[in-house]
């Protein structure tokens, strides 16, 4: 039986030092490997020209870089591009590049499918088919054809980041590590429905921005759409967040899909303003992108503008997020990689 080779992509400096030691390489070689894999974006070990040929051959017997090019792409009329990336276990995930003037945002996935089962989300309908490894997550970034145009990364693709938090945090550390990509954590946003332990751990360990998928300020109303509300009620989420500093470096955002006649009623708007009062944050209102067999429909543009204006008037910074890539099913809630390999 052929033994599967380990990947260098996804390893931090300590792990690279272990690789160097196992291979009989000098300690400084770990830094060389880091630079080739991340800043150098090598796809093959043989590209590492400042490592001896003999050592490259030995290294290639046990390791691969781990880079995998996208196997499919779709391009939207608005310039958004959706890629299908293969994973190490033979599955695939969707990743979205969103250009906007000088800004280029990559929306990455962290799981194949999702366990959360939100009633308005196509990824949730796919069900859960596995966690992505750190290599799988980093590959979406480094193998993105628009890598040189990237200014921001958002963990808002397939999957719940706090359900795969070890891998997500490891990936954010590599993105920000001076030995790897050396990005500022202010260029990275992690989105979550809010899970116990995961929320506190992220707030304690990460300097990246945080986005909470809220969608309703009331426990019963949110639970009807988002089963994860049972694990951590919205009031508990906000109470936990109030213990941390969001007024200076990290940014806190609440994502709010506006369903007409459901979560934009006057009473609901008042409840949302009360829930978030005094918490340094902003609210992004998002148009609902219709999926089959759903009772939901999007609020109209005037209704969304009225909600935005109400929240701003009551001290909550609120904006309406522009919808991108809907024609290729790349917009919020539409990602689904089922049967695409």
């Amino acid at each position: 039986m052929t033994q599967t080779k380990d990947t260098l992509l996804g390893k931090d400096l300590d792990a690279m030092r272990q690789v160097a030691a196992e291979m009989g390489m000098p300690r400084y070689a770990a830094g060389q490997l880091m630079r080739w894999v991340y800043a150098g974006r090598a796809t093959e070990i043989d590209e590492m020209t400042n490592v001896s040929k003999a050592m490259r051959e030995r290294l290639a017997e046990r390791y691969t870089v781990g880079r995998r090019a996208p196997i499919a792409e779709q391009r939207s009329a608005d310039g958004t591009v959706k890629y299908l990336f293969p994973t190490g276990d033979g599955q695939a995930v969707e990743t979205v590049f969103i250009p906007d003037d000088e800004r280029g945002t990559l929306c990455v996935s962290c799981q194949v499918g999702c366990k959360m089962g939100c009633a308005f989300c196509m990824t949730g309908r796919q069900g859960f088919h596995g966690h992505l490894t750190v290599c799988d997550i980093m590959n979406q970034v480094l193998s993105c054809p628009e890598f040189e145009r990237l200014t921001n990364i958002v963990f808002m693709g397939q999957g719940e980041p706090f359900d795969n938090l070890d891998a997500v945090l490891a990936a954010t550390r590599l993105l920000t590590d001076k030995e790897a990509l050396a990005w500022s954590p202010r260029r990275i946003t992690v989105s979550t429905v809010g899970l116990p332990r995961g929320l506190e751990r992220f707030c304690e360990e990460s300097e990246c921005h945080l986005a909470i998928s809220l969608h309703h300020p009331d426990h019963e109303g949110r639970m009807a759409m988002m089963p994860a509300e049972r694990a951590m009620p919205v009031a508990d989420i906000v109470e936990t967040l109030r213990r941390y500093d969001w007024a200076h470096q990290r940014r806190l955002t609440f994502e709010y899909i506006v369903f007409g006649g459901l979560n934009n009623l006057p009473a609901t708007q008042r409840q949302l303003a009360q829930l978030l009062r005094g918490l340094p944050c902003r609210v992004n209102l998002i148009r609902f992108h219709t999926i089959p067999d759903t009772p939901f429909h999007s609020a109209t543009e005037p209704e969304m503008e009225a909600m935005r204006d109400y929240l701003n008037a009551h001290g909550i910074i609120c904006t309406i997020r522009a919808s991108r890539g809907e024609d290729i099913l790349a917009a919020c809630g539409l990602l689904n990689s089922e049967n695409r390999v």
Side-chain angles (χ1 to χ4, degrees):
M1 179 181 296
T2 302
Q3 186 175 1
T4 303
K5 295 180 181 180
D6 196 1
T7 63
L8 297 177
L9 180 60
K11 295 188 184 299
D12 61 13
L13 185 58
D14 286 341
M16 289 295 195
R17 285 173 177 154
Q18 185 174 346
V19 170
E22 290 173 353
M23 293 289 100
M25 303 170 74
R27 185 176 174 83
Y28 66 79
Q32 292 176 315
L33 296 179
M34 288 288 288
R35 287 187 286 276
W36 278 113
V37 170
Y38 298 107
R41 297 178 62 222
T43 57
E44 301 289 343
I45 288 174
D46 204 45
E47 296 173 26
M48 304 176 183
T49 52
N50 62 349
V51 177
S52 72
K53 187 174 187 298
M55 190 55 67
R56 295 200 305 269
E57 290 175 350
R58 287 185 57 196
L59 198 58
E61 291 175 0
R62 295 182 55 181
Y63 294 93
T64 65
V65 172
R67 290 276 301 279
R68 301 179 184 88
I71 55 178
E73 68 176 63
Q74 293 174 275
R75 294 184 175 268
S76 167
D78 65 22
T80 299
V81 189
K82 182 170 71 171
Y83 292 105
L84 185 69
F85 277 100
T87 63
D89 62 358
Q91 301 190 83
V93 290
E94 294 187 323
T95 307
V96 181
F97 171 69
I98 307 166
D100 187 10
D101 296 328
E102 299 302 312
R103 183 184 176 101
T105 300
L106 191 67
C107 180
V108 302
S109 295
C110 64
Q111 294 177 319
V112 181
C114 185
K115 298 178 186 175
M116 299 301 105
C118 297
F120 46 81
C121 180
M122 285 298 292
T123 305
R125 290 192 178 184
Q126 181 176 345
F128 175 71
H129 297 281
H131 296 300
L132 296 194
T133 64
V134 184
C135 177
D136 291 328
I137 296 172
M138 292 300 297
N139 183 61
Q140 295 170 74
V141 179
L142 290 171
S143 296
C144 173
E146 288 84 6
F147 175 83
E148 300 295 341
R149 297 174 60 188
L150 298 183
T151 61
N152 298 82
I153 290 175
V154 294
F155 284 79
M156 296 183 182
Q158 293 179 260
E160 163 53 51
F162 284 9
D163 191 41
N164 190 18
L165 190 54
D166 285 341
V168 168
L169 286 176
T172 62
R173 286 193 293 268
L174 285 170
L175 289 167
T176 57
D177 188 340
K178 62 181 177 61
E179 299 289 345
L181 291 183
W183 279 36
S184 165
R186 314 299 173 232
R187 297 170 63 181
I188 304 166
T189 300
V190 177
S191 176
T192 178
V193 299
L195 295 180
R197 296 182 301 279
L199 185 59
E200 291 188 12
R201 183 179 168 196
F202 178 86
C203 291
E204 295 285 349
E205 296 183 20
S206 179
E207 296 181 358
C208 297
H209 297 315
L210 177 64
I212 303 293
S213 296
L214 185 61
H215 313 312
H216 205 294
D218 173 71
H219 174 64
E220 296 297 331
R222 190 170 187 256
M223 190 162 59
M225 299 186 292
M226 305 172 67
E229 170 73 8
R230 294 186 181 90
M232 192 169 194
V234 61
D236 293 349
I237 292 173
V238 174
E239 181 181 352
T240 298
L241 293 171
R242 288 186 186 279
R243 302 205 302 263
Y244 298 93
D245 179 14
W246 304 102
H248 296 93
Q249 296 179 325
R250 289 187 296 183
R251 183 174 64 240
L252 175 62
T253 303
F254 290 91
E255 308 291 341
Y256 199 96
I257 297 174
V258 187
F259 304 103
L262 180 61
N263 64 351
N264 67 331
L265 303 173
T268 311
Q269 294 183 40
R270 289 194 298 271
Q271 190 174 9
L272 179 59
Q274 177 63 37
L275 178 71
L276 302 182
R277 182 167 294 138
L279 180 64
C281 66
R282 63 179 60 231
V283 173
N284 275 340
L285 301 182
I286 304 169
R287 181 168 62 83
F288 173 56
H289 304 103
T290 303
I291 62 176
D293 303 318
T294 177
F296 307 117
H297 66 275
S298 181
T300 65
E301 196 67 22
E303 288 173 332
M304 292 184 67
E305 292 172 354
M307 186 169 183
R308 175 200 61 194
D309 295 344
Y310 175 87
L311 291 172
N312 278 316
H314 286 78
I316 308 296
I317 299 172
C318 183
T319 57
I320 298 174
R321 185 201 288 176
S323 179
R324 301 290 300 273
E326 186 173 6
D327 57 333
I328 58 170
L329 302 181
C332 180
L334 298 182
L335 298 186
N336 187 310
S337 59
E338 193 168 19
N339 302 320
R340 291 203 63 197
V341 179

